[in-house]
Amino acid sequence: MPPTRPQDPPPEAGYAAGFASRYDDWFAPAAGTENTVALLVSLTKEAPSGPLLELGIGTGRIALPLAEHGLAVHGIDSSPQMVARLRSKPGGRDIPVTIGDFAAPPADDEPGEYALVYVVNGTFGELTTQADQLACFANAARRLRPGGFFVLDAHLPEALATVSAGTEPVNNTGQDFVLRTRSIHPARQHYVSDYVVLDDDRLRHVRVTFRYTSPGELDLMAAAAGLRLRLRTGGWSGTPFKDSSTYHVSVYELPA
């Protein structure tokens, strides 16, 4: 008889719990890491001195290269499995990580501790209510030093609407075959990404729900938290933000 395989977690149980060891292969942007790190490093030159904080640090795809640049990086993540994957990488044990909800008020952080707080790879959208997203802004602002930056990335709702139907392959660095289908749900201001993965001759399903936001709504959330827009680009490569953009990176500043 074939060996018994562990059951996959239910689709909504969270990809982090069951797929942490494969996350970098399946879901990380193929060419996005270098641009993301470069832009964050450039922002640290304009920010006050101090450590960086990554909300949803995960496997350390961004934090570890930043640490290699000589920056002090801390992290928050709700998944012990993802953090264990970070710890297994060179330098991963040197990064302080808090297990918890990154939208929640700081637990052990001192107010005004960080020069830069950032959340990447669409992770901000995994806060699926406006209340949680507002709380994230407020608590990021509380963690920042005066003159510090809160940085996030997001899809534009108009672009999501044009690609909400159909299935497409996902670029990945492993040997697995990954397809993604997105569906948009305007009544809830959500979009859902369903991933089907052919892994070791079996199909696995991962579902992730996001709350999408317009740049204007994000700017209002920032203003409510005492932050102001410093920079908005059409992506981590720093391309200009314009009508044809499908994605954006927004940098908010806590006034000094």
Side-chain angles (χ1 to χ4, degrees):
M1 295 179 62
T4 301
R5 294 183 182 275
Q7 294 295 311
D8 290 345
E12 291 291 4
Y15 62 86
F19 304 105
S21 65
R22 310 298 291 279
Y23 177 85
D24 291 337
D25 289 344
W26 290 351
F27 307 118
T33 301
E34 184 176 340
N35 288 335
T36 303
V37 170
L39 182 55
L40 291 172
V41 169
S42 72
L43 289 171
T44 64
K45 298 174 182 177
E46 304 176 36
S49 61
L52 283 62
L53 175 66
E54 181 169 356
L55 308 181
I57 193 170
T59 65
R61 179 178 67 91
I62 302 301
L64 289 170
L66 287 173
E68 291 175 0
H69 280 271
L71 298 168
V73 185
H74 300 183
I76 300 174
D77 204 280
S78 63
S79 169
Q81 295 89 347
M82 296 286 271
V83 175
R85 181 65 175 163
L86 162 66
R87 296 288 186 232
S88 72
K89 298 179 180 181
R93 294 190 176 277
D94 299 327
I95 295 180
V97 179
T98 299
I99 300 295
D101 178 1
F102 69 70
D108 301 321
D109 297 340
E110 293 291 332
E113 182 175 357
Y114 295 102
L116 192 150
V117 178
Y118 66 94
V119 53
V120 303
N121 207 25
T123 302
F124 178 80
E126 292 186 46
L127 301 172
T128 56
T129 69
Q130 187 184 66
D132 283 346
Q133 291 180 345
L134 279 164
C136 183
F137 267 95
N139 291 311
R142 181 182 173 188
R143 290 176 162 109
L144 284 174
R145 295 184 174 183
F149 300 138
F150 176 43
V151 188
L152 61 87
D153 58 6
H155 293 285
L156 288 168
E158 298 84 355
L160 285 170
T162 64
V163 297
S164 60
T167 301
E168 62 181 357
V170 177
N171 291 327
N172 60 82
T173 58
Q175 300 301 312
D176 306 306
F177 182 66
V178 185
L179 291 176
R180 179 185 63 207
T181 298
R182 278 200 180 119
S183 58
I184 192 165
H185 304 274
R188 300 192 298 274
Q189 206 167 317
H190 285 173
Y191 71 93
V192 177
S193 291
D194 281 289
Y195 297 86
V196 176
V197 183
L198 180 61
D199 173 37
D200 194 21
D201 296 326
R202 61 173 175 159
L203 288 176
R204 309 178 79 177
H205 175 219
V206 186
R207 173 172 292 163
V208 189
T209 300
F210 302 85
R211 182 179 189 270
Y212 62 82
T213 48
S214 68
E217 184 181 4
L218 291 171
D219 292 349
L220 285 172
M221 291 182 184
L227 302 170
R228 64 188 180 195
L229 183 66
R230 171 71 176 264
L231 172 70
R232 177 168 286 135
T233 69
W236 288 103
S237 63
T239 56
F241 181 69
K242 50 189 178 181
D243 288 346
S244 60
S245 297
T246 61
Y247 194 76
H248 69 92
V249 174
S250 295
V251 181
Y252 296 98
E253 180 180 19
L254 182 67

